[in-house]
Amino acid sequence: MSVAGAAMVSVPALAQDRADPPADDEIIVQGRAQQLYRTLVTTVGKSAQDPLDIPQALQVINADLFVDQGARDATDIYRNISGVSAFSYAGVTFRGFRQDQSFYDGQRGNPFIGFSVPQLFNIDRVEVLKGPAGLFFGPGSPGGIINYVSKTPSDRAALRTVVTAGNYDRFGISAEATDRIDADGVVSYRLGGFYEAMRPYRFNTLNKSLIGDAGLSIRTNPGGLLTVQVTTYDNYLRANRLRGVLVDDSGRFLGSIRWNANEKSDFLHLTSTATQARYATAIGDAITFDVGARYFKATERQKYHEPRGRNAANPDLVLREFRDQVRPVDGLSFAANATATTTLLGMEHRFQFGGDWFRETNILRSRILRSGVLPLSLSRPVYGRSDGDATRAMALPFTVTDTRSTRYGFYAQDQISLTEQFLLVGGLRYDRFDDGVTVATGNRVTARSRYADSDVTFRGGAIYQPRTDLSLYVSWSQGFEPQASASQATDAGGPFAPVTGNQWEGGVKSLLFDGRLQANAALYRIVRENILQVDPALPPVNGVDQLRPIGQVTSKGVELDLTTDLTRNWVLLANYGYNDARITATAPGQAITNAVGTRFANAPAHKLGFWTRYQLPVIRTALAFGGEHVSRRISLAGQTVRPYTIFDASITQQLGFAELMLRVDNLFDTVYAASGFSAQTGHFPGDPRTVFAELRAKF
């Protein structure tokens, strides 16, 4: 069986195909540094492939890096990805564009809805495909996509437990186990549980997170595997529907970064369950096939105080309103993919076909109390006087926004080996979407809109491999995003074609010196078009401003990624991204979403990250040091988001069957803004110095 075919059979369990640690678990001593953070196979292209055979930039962050960096959620890993920086909550700036969408095991169905951040306990690796990904994933941001790959059952008996403790009253415990159920390993399982609680640095906050994860795998035939998984999440965040801290125009905080507009009685509570089944098989060395189904149901309840800017008469007072919101969401998706390798006209072809279908119901019930809500001092906040706002808000009717979305698409791609060194890639995809939004207040419908359309996207590329461990490539890829349903009204000039994104990219990928050096570089140019704007040259129709798809944005940049063994015991991971995203066509006097002037909010020109780890086998110890630099940005209000540089460090000591890690984040306790938002809600402060220890035992 070919490498790709073998990997495809085990797509649900691909994580377990990495080299296992030594049986005696001498993890640090026995060469763990070598090729520590490298991944040789990725499924980000919907089938298992060598990254060198994909003519588009990508990165894979694996569980080894999660462990070494003590990563708990998605925000902990952004520093390792070139071209990606924080925007707000789980949202990122991706090659200059805001992106909030995530995939799980190649399918839609993110259980972390609204303002919750994806957790990593049950995730084996994070795959990042950069640039438009319309061929494989359908509608989405042109910056790229993030795909979370789940941990899966294994027939290898293993038990891992972790106990965590740190400042801010942090305590956590987790355990996960895998093993075969029958003697022949036909049926295997995975069970996992995670709990963590802490009182973060913002006033009044308390976080509690619970995750339960269970999976069962059945080998149905010599080349087939059926995997069923269920994961439940319960995240309770007291006073933690967080906004930022207000700043002046130069980006300096006007109060302590501990300041919080939320009262102790405020909260955000997410409960969510995701269930999925996936079957993958191979027919000989030439054909692979997989099919999957995923269903999730989530509810996010929020009661919180929203800052509304400073009081003009007393700038120390921040005005507030109280919001009571409930967000029930559920989604169902199906996907199927197949690959076939054959020889035609003397050339090897790797055909790839697939399709997916997704339906989501997203409801927002919201009521906002604006009168009688007390302001809060920036310098001397006094809490507890506004706990009654929740009771007063109950007299208000809910405004209900009901959004129904359906997506389905089909794709085909052919990778042709013209020679052993030269490959051509070409593919196309057809997508159909149907969106509807109904808004009602007090059971009275106040607005209703619906829009359905279709689009075709293309992808092409060429790869030249002068040697098996080096690839030079050039590619062109497309993506699109449907226009907002509310903008499709005929009075506004609709309906309108989707927003499109087209990218030219060239680069080099390598895995040199027997895998000890993985270095990639990419140069790209993305043009995003058909952005709707009000056309001031046209008179309103029935009181509605006329829209036209005349907005255009161009994003250009360079990305460099390096993972290497400097010595047998010393590994280095580094990344750098340069981006210049600007508005290149617009209606006079009209803005584009997330833009201020010609620039975009939270889009740094420069971002640098690194992580290095040196192990000392003689004393069974590993030392690690990392950092991140993000250059100046602007917020949505045009206020400066100041550049920052922060550093982290850790020490890990082997203790036989266990290891102890002590980690310090933001080593020098730098005060900085992770991202900017509005003038009313301020900038999101980055975490101050955080210290924690982990005791990890593996049997």
Side-chain angles (χ1 to χ4, degrees):
M1 182 179 295
S2 66
V3 172
M8 189 61 201
V9 173
S10 58
V11 163
L14 190 58
Q16 275 69 28
D17 293 339
R18 303 193 302 269
D20 290 318
D24 61 359
D25 283 328
E26 292 292 319
I27 296 175
I28 293 177
V29 176
Q30 310 235 358
R32 182 168 182 254
Q34 291 186 292
Q35 301 185 27
L36 181 59
Y37 305 129
R38 265 132 290 182
T39 301
L40 304 181
V41 178
T42 177
T43 57
V44 74
K46 292 297 183 78
S47 69
Q49 274 188 284
D50 185 333
L52 296 180
D53 293 339
I54 299 175
Q56 202 164 334
L58 63 92
Q59 277 184 262
V60 180
I61 311 299
N62 64 23
D64 291 326
L65 193 56
F66 297 169
V67 170
D68 276 0
Q69 295 188 342
R72 287 295 189 276
D73 61 45
T75 63
D76 293 328
I77 63 171
Y78 296 154
R79 67 176 56 187
N80 303 304
I81 307 171
S82 60
V84 170
S85 57
F87 196 108
S88 61
Y89 311 103
V92 298
T93 301
F94 207 147
R95 288 191 167 180
F97 301 103
R98 185 175 182 177
Q99 201 263 69
D100 297 292
Q101 194 176 66
S102 299
F103 291 80
Y104 279 75
D105 300 303
Q107 293 185 245
R108 296 178 187 269
N110 181 7
F112 294 95
I113 61 172
F115 299 88
S116 299
V117 179
Q119 305 292 298
L120 299 176
F121 166 71
N122 62 312
I123 300 301
D124 181 76
R125 67 187 187 277
V126 177
E127 300 180 326
V128 182
L129 182 62
K130 301 179 180 182
L135 180 74
F136 294 122
F137 294 94
S141 166
I145 66 98
I146 297 176
N147 180 44
Y148 295 90
V149 180
S150 304
K151 294 179 180 177
T152 54
S154 170
D155 59 6
R156 181 172 183 261
L159 172 63
R160 182 176 186 267
T161 61
V162 179
V163 177
T164 305
N167 61 342
Y168 301 111
D169 296 333
R170 181 175 182 175
F171 175 78
I173 185 169
S174 67
E176 47 194 323
T178 61
D179 200 358
R180 62 183 62 190
I181 292 178
D182 62 301
D184 296 327
V186 174
V187 182
S188 56
Y189 73 88
R190 179 183 186 275
L191 291 174
F194 173 91
Y195 168 80
E196 187 168 275
M198 67 182 300
R199 300 176 188 274
Y201 65 97
R202 302 286 293 272
F203 289 135
N204 300 325
T205 54
L206 169 66
N207 296 356
K208 292 183 179 180
S209 179
L210 282 166
I211 303 174
D213 187 46
L216 198 68
S217 288
I218 304 171
R219 295 200 175 274
T220 57
N221 55 288
L225 187 69
L226 172 66
T227 301
V228 180
Q229 295 173 275
V230 179
T231 308
T232 62
Y233 307 89
D234 191 316
N235 288 349
Y236 175 77
L237 310 177
R238 189 184 73 191
N240 207 350
R241 170 56 169 87
L242 289 175
R243 294 298 195 182
V245 177
L246 275 64
V247 298
D248 60 23
D249 288 343
S250 67
R252 297 185 184 277
F253 289 112
L254 295 173
S256 166
I257 62 170
R258 299 186 64 198
W259 189 88
N260 187 356
N262 289 322
E263 299 287 333
K264 206 169 187 176
S265 55
D266 295 346
F267 66 88
L268 182 155
H269 187 197
L270 170 75
T271 56
S272 182
T273 300
T275 304
Q276 68 179 28
R278 187 176 179 91
Y279 174 70
T281 190
I283 304 173
D285 291 338
I287 299 175
T288 66
F289 173 76
D290 72 271
V291 60
R294 179 177 176 85
Y295 174 75
F296 80 96
K297 187 177 181 65
T299 301
E300 190 177 70
R301 295 176 171 84
Q302 307 175 40
K303 294 188 178 183
Y304 68 101
H305 286 80
E306 171 83 356
R308 300 299 298 169
R310 291 194 287 174
N311 187 318
N314 184 355
D316 183 57
L317 295 179
V318 178
L319 305 175
R320 297 186 297 170
E321 62 187 29
F322 179 79
R323 298 183 179 183
D324 183 352
Q325 299 178 342
V326 184
R327 300 171 181 266
V329 181
D330 67 86
L332 176 65
S333 67
F334 298 96
N337 306 278
T339 64
T341 303
T342 188
T343 300
L344 294 174
L345 302 175
M347 295 178 291
E348 183 178 277
H349 293 253
R350 184 179 186 272
F351 294 107
Q352 194 172 337
F353 308 94
D356 47 73
W357 179 94
F358 177 66
R359 174 201 53 78
E360 181 179 277
T361 300
N362 189 324
I363 298 173
L364 169 62
R365 299 187 179 96
S366 177
R367 51 191 175 193
I368 300 176
L369 178 68
R370 294 187 172 92
S371 62
V373 180
L374 295 176
L376 190 67
S377 170
L378 269 172
S379 60
R380 296 182 179 84
V382 177
Y383 296 99
R385 299 183 301 171
S386 298
D387 291 341
D389 290 342
T391 301
R392 294 195 298 122
M394 292 175 64
L396 301 174
F398 275 114
T399 294
V400 181
T401 303
D402 186 334
T403 304
R404 308 291 173 104
S405 300
T406 302
R407 305 271 192 274
Y408 65 85
F410 309 94
Y411 73 89
Q413 179 179 274
D414 185 14
Q415 179 177 290
I416 308 170
S417 299
L418 297 179
T419 68
E420 290 187 359
Q421 289 80 32
F422 192 46
L423 290 76
L424 289 180
V425 177
L428 60 86
R429 177 183 173 107
Y430 169 83
D431 277 286
R432 180 77 181 177
F433 52 89
D434 189 336
D435 297 332
V437 180
T438 302
V439 180
T441 301
N443 296 320
R444 183 177 65 86
V445 174
T446 57
R448 180 180 282 120
S449 61
R450 182 178 178 182
Y451 181 61
D453 200 355
S454 60
D455 204 358
V456 177
T457 51
F458 298 89
R459 179 178 188 244
I463 303 171
Y464 175 63
Q465 298 179 333
R467 45 189 289 173
T468 58
D469 53 7
L470 179 66
S471 286
L472 309 174
Y473 72 89
V474 63
S475 65
W476 177 70
S477 54
Q478 286 186 309
F480 77 95
E481 299 170 88
Q483 305 284 4
S485 297
S487 301
Q488 299 288 11
T490 55
D491 283 351
F496 298 100
V499 178
T500 61
N502 303 277
Q503 173 183 267
W504 280 100
E505 178 178 301
V508 57
K509 301 179 183 181
S510 65
L511 192 63
L512 304 172
F513 306 111
D514 295 324
R516 294 192 300 274
L517 172 65
Q518 187 174 41
N520 305 319
L523 178 69
Y524 64 86
R525 181 178 186 269
I526 303 172
V527 178
R528 192 181 185 204
E529 298 179 296
N530 291 345
I531 301 172
L532 291 183
Q533 294 185 279
V534 173
D535 189 343
L538 298 175
V541 174
N542 296 326
V544 179
D545 289 332
Q546 294 296 283
L547 302 175
R548 289 294 180 268
I550 51 183
Q552 176 184 282
V553 178
T554 300
S555 174
K556 297 177 289 186
V558 178
E559 293 167 353
L560 305 172
D561 300 290
L562 172 70
T563 307
T564 184
D565 299 322
L566 298 174
T567 69
R568 181 178 178 83
N569 296 303
W570 188 8
V571 64
L572 169 68
L573 183 152
N575 68 85
Y576 168 75
Y578 167 78
N579 175 263
D580 180 20
R582 294 178 183 267
I583 296 172
T584 47
T586 184
Q590 297 298 312
I592 288 178
T593 302
N594 296 325
V596 181
T598 62
R599 306 308 295 260
F600 279 80
N602 290 315
H606 305 276
K607 176 180 173 286
L608 172 69
F610 76 93
W611 177 257
T612 186
R613 182 181 187 275
Y614 186 80
Q615 62 188 34
L616 301 151
V618 174
I619 58 174
R620 301 151 62 94
T621 303
L623 306 174
F625 182 70
E628 178 186 33
H629 171 77
V630 177
S631 65
R632 179 187 179 275
R633 293 157 289 164
I634 56 173
S635 72
L636 290 167
Q639 294 177 305
T640 294
V641 183
R642 300 171 65 84
Y644 70 85
T645 303
I646 55 173
F647 298 98
D648 311 315
S650 72
I651 180 170
T652 304
Q653 179 66 50
Q654 183 69 31
L655 304 171
F657 69 88
E659 63 181 12
L660 177 66
M661 181 186 76
L662 176 65
R663 179 175 167 89
V664 182
D665 291 337
N666 193 356
L667 190 62
F668 301 108
D669 203 19
T670 301
V671 176
Y672 69 101
S675 65
F677 210 63
S678 70
Q680 293 181 334
T681 59
H683 291 359
F684 292 101
D687 291 344
R689 182 189 296 122
T690 304
V691 182
F692 67 94
E694 281 191 349
L695 180 64
R696 309 164 179 154
K698 189 172 184 179
F699 306 92

